């Protein structure tokens, strides 16, 4: 085992001898772990397309939001567990368990006869997804030399391009021709390839603890309890957000919202690096920036199709296609940051990326003016996705660079928690502002159905504050370098 562990760390220890991510030593591993990301990407795009039909057939429309929040809530806990598990025993076991749970959750949802079983399946999927994403970061830190990590992160980003374009189309066709259940039960077949390619390669190159000679690191019971607290707290906040959207039930949201905040705030302070909230230089700012970038981008992106449908009369398909260029632009940004010659300028690239994201989000609501052409959204969003490609891949690279080998799992979990938590908080805030300014009237009404659409100010109330958050992220990006001593 000791010799095996030593060989697993050779690439990181001797970068000069390491080839590319597709050389003979890395080919099977790179293909396997990229296939895992491809599976997750396809699930994310395909399942979302089939979800409305599934909820309707299971008489679960009132519980529709929980089909999404169940995945997110359990994944937060699984991220922390995976970080500790990977640091203690290596990423092989949590990755295998995560892929298995992911497939099991899909099968449970696909065969569910009631909405609560469907939601339970989504929760199991979330456990699997949380285990996998953090374990993959540990694999990259163990099996790839530092100069190869930007390239494998770029490959992760590129693996989202095909699913983002093909996934909804395939899922829609399968749902219409065969039924929504086939979308869920068919995806687990794709698990075979990642398991066959990735697990043997990980066993050879990245299994076991970071230091085989050291005593096994025990599980941190306090962090596990904090992870449970943040998952429960986020669930309560999302329940409160659903209640506040119902006029006669808004008073019901007060208690769960307060209880959720009371659980989330101390849990987050305990799980993120010290100094995250004040953007301390180095790792804390990397973790903070990941949340600011992901949260602002996702909060804005969620309202773009609705704005195009309700304000400019586009069909849902055309509204979605207006964002299709984003996948390629994101991959281009990831490719640029992976070039060796730009490494000395990484922090400047991240600042530029956040400025592009802020400008794109601020430009999108210009289509609320009838004289502005709709294609403006596609162009602006392409630049925003280019910026996200620069930022997201770079924060992943910087996190691995600034983490000690025995801390990669815990720090990767913190990065993902920042990402996921910012998504839900900024989405909740944007949704509340949207509803407060008359946006809720769009729900459930198709264009031209005679119902009053949302006021344009409701969309501006989402995009402009979120653009300001992204602009603040450009300042955080100036603090990514470790403090000089």
């Amino acid at each position: 085992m000791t010799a095996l562990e030593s060989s697993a760390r050779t690439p990181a220890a001797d970068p000069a001898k390491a080839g590319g991510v597709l050389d003979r030593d890395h080919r099977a591993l790179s293909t396997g772990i990229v296939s895992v990301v491809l599976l997750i990407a396809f699930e994310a795009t395909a399942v979302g397309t089939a979800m409305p039909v599934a909820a309707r057939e299971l008489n679960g429309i009132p519980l529709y939001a929980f089909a999404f929040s169940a995945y997110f809530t359990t994944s937060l806990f699984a991220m922390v567990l995976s970080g500790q598990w990977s640091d203690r025993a290596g990423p092989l076991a949590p990755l295998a368990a995560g892929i298995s749970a992911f497939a099991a959750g899909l099968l449970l949802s696909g065969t569910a006869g009631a909405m609560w079983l469907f939601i339970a399946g989504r929760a199991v999927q979330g456990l699997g997804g949380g285990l996998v994403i953090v374990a993959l970061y540990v694999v990259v830190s163990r099996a790839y030399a530092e100069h190869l990590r930007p390239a494998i992160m770029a490959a992760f980003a590129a693996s989202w391009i095909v699913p983002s374009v093909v996934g909804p189309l395939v899922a829609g066709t399968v749902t219409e021709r065969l039924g929504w259940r086939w979308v869920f039960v068919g995806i687990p077949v794709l698990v075979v390839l990642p398991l066959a390619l990735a697990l043997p390669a990980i066993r050879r190159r990245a299994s076991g603890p970071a230091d085989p000679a050291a005593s096994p690191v025990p599980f941190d019971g306090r962090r596990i309890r904090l992870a449970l607290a943040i998952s429960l707290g986020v669930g309560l906040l999302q329940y409160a957000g659903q209640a506040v959207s119902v006029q006669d039930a808004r008073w019901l949201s007060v208690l769960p919202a307060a209880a959720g905040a009371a659980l989330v705030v101390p849990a987050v302070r305990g799980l993120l690096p010290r100094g995250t909230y004040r953007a301390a230089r180095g790792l804390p700012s990397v973790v903070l920036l990941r949340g600011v970038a992901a949260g602002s981008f996702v909060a804005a992106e969620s309202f773009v199709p609705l704005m195009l449908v309700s304000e400019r009369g586009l069909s849902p398909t055309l509204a979605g296609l207006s964002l299709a260029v984003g996948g390629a632009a994101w991959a281009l940004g990831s490719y640029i940051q992976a070039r060796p010659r730009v490494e000395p300028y990484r922090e400047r690239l991240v600042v530029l990326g956040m400025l592009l994201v802020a400008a794109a989000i601020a430009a999108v609501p210009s289509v609320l003016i009838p004289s502005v052409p709709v294609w403006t959204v596609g162009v602006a969003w392409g630049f925003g996705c280019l910026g996200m490609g620069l930022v997201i891949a770079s924060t992943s690279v910087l996190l691995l660079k600034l983490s000690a080998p025995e801390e990669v799992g815990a720090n990767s979990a913190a990065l993902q928690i920042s990402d996921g938590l910012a998504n839900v908080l900024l989405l909740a805030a944007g949704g509340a502002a949207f509803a407060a300014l008359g946006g809720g009237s769009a729900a459930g009404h198709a264009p031209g159905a005679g119902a009053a659409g949302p006021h344009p100010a409701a969309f501006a109330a989402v995009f402009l504050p979120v653009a300001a958050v992204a602009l603040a992220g450009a300042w955080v990006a100036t603090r990514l370098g470790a403090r000089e001593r």
Side-chain angles (χ1 to χ4, degrees):
M1 175 63 74
T2 300
L4 188 63
E5 298 300 332
S6 177
S7 67
R9 289 188 295 277
T10 299
D14 191 3
K17 295 183 179 180
V21 296
L22 290 178
D23 63 14
R24 185 175 62 180
D25 291 337
H26 296 89
R27 187 179 300 121
L29 178 62
S30 297
T31 304
I33 62 176
V34 169
S35 297
V36 172
V37 177
L38 186 69
L39 169 66
I40 294 174
F42 187 78
E43 184 274 343
T45 55
V47 167
T49 302
M51 196 85 76
V53 179
R56 184 174 64 247
E57 290 191 8
L58 294 173
N59 298 316
I61 295 297
L63 299 175
Y64 182 76
F66 289 103
F68 291 95
S69 63
Y71 183 101
F72 175 76
T73 301
T74 55
S75 68
L76 283 175
F77 170 73
M79 289 171 188
V80 177
L81 177 62
S82 183
Q84 292 205 31
W85 195 353
S86 297
D87 286 340
R88 184 177 188 272
L92 180 62
L95 185 61
I99 294 175
S100 300
F102 194 79
L106 283 165
L107 290 173
L108 180 58
S109 291
T111 56
M115 190 63 179
W116 69 269
L117 277 175
F118 183 89
I119 293 172
R122 292 288 293 164
V124 175
Q125 280 181 253
L127 285 172
L131 288 171
V132 167
I133 191 64
V134 173
L136 284 177
Y137 273 74
V138 180
V139 170
V140 171
S141 73
R142 299 271 191 95
Y144 294 86
E146 185 174 323
H147 75 283
L148 293 179
R149 293 171 188 168
I152 196 65
M153 291 299 176
F156 285 174
S159 66
W160 279 80
I161 297 177
V162 173
S164 66
V165 176
V166 176
L169 178 62
V170 172
T173 302
V174 171
T175 300
E176 293 176 4
R177 300 292 178 86
L178 301 177
W180 65 268
R181 295 183 185 275
W182 285 100
V183 175
F184 287 85
V185 301
I187 291 177
V189 176
L190 302 178
V191 170
V192 176
L193 177 62
L195 284 175
L197 290 174
L199 297 186
I202 293 171
R203 183 179 291 108
R204 291 192 303 269
R205 303 184 62 85
S207 61
D211 184 0
S215 300
V217 179
F219 282 99
D220 187 339
R222 175 178 173 273
R223 291 183 67 85
I224 296 295
R225 290 191 296 272
L226 290 175
L228 287 171
I230 197 173
S231 294
L232 179 58
V234 165
L236 288 171
L237 288 173
Q238 293 186 348
Y239 173 80
Q242 187 180 35
V244 79
S245 66
V246 182
Q247 183 70 37
D248 295 334
R250 289 183 178 178
W251 64 273
L252 293 174
S253 67
V254 176
L255 288 178
L263 287 169
V264 167
V265 172
V268 170
R269 289 177 62 88
L271 291 172
L272 299 187
R274 181 171 299 183
T276 297
Y277 289 106
R278 54 184 175 84
R281 287 192 175 276
L283 184 63
S285 286
V286 172
V287 171
L288 176 61
L289 180 63
R290 180 57 163 262
V292 170
S296 58
F297 183 85
V298 169
E301 185 180 47
S302 300
F303 285 89
V304 171
L306 178 61
M307 180 178 66
L308 293 177
V309 169
S310 63
E311 298 299 312
R312 298 302 295 262
L314 269 66
S315 68
T317 300
L318 287 177
L321 288 176
S322 69
L323 304 179
V325 69
W330 191 309
L332 176 61
S334 297
Y335 173 81
I336 291 172
Q337 65 81 39
R339 299 300 87 200
R341 66 181 61 185
V342 306
E343 182 60 35
Y345 312 103
R346 182 172 298 281
E347 292 180 32
R348 296 181 187 179
L349 278 179
V350 176
V351 173
L352 173 62
M354 287 309 304
L355 291 175
L356 288 173
V357 173
I361 295 173
V364 162
S366 65
V367 298
L368 293 170
I369 303 172
S371 59
V372 176
V374 173
W375 55 258
T376 301
V377 170
V379 174
W381 213 244
F383 280 104
C385 288
L386 175 66
M388 286 295 287
L390 294 172
V391 173
I392 297 300
S394 289
T395 53
S396 300
V397 171
L398 288 169
L399 177 120
L400 298 178
K401 181 179 180 179
L402 295 172
S403 299
E406 67 276 7
E407 296 176 345
V408 170
N411 290 341
S412 298
L415 190 77
Q416 297 301 325
I417 288 171
S418 177
D419 186 320
L421 189 62
N423 285 347
V424 71
L425 292 180
L426 287 178
L427 273 171
F434 184 74
L437 291 177
S441 59
H445 298 289
H455 194 283
F459 290 105
V462 174
F463 289 107
L464 298 183
V466 169
V469 172
L471 188 60
W475 172 78
V476 176
T478 65
R479 303 176 61 79
L480 301 182
R483 185 187 299 275
E484 297 181 3
R485 295 183 178 180

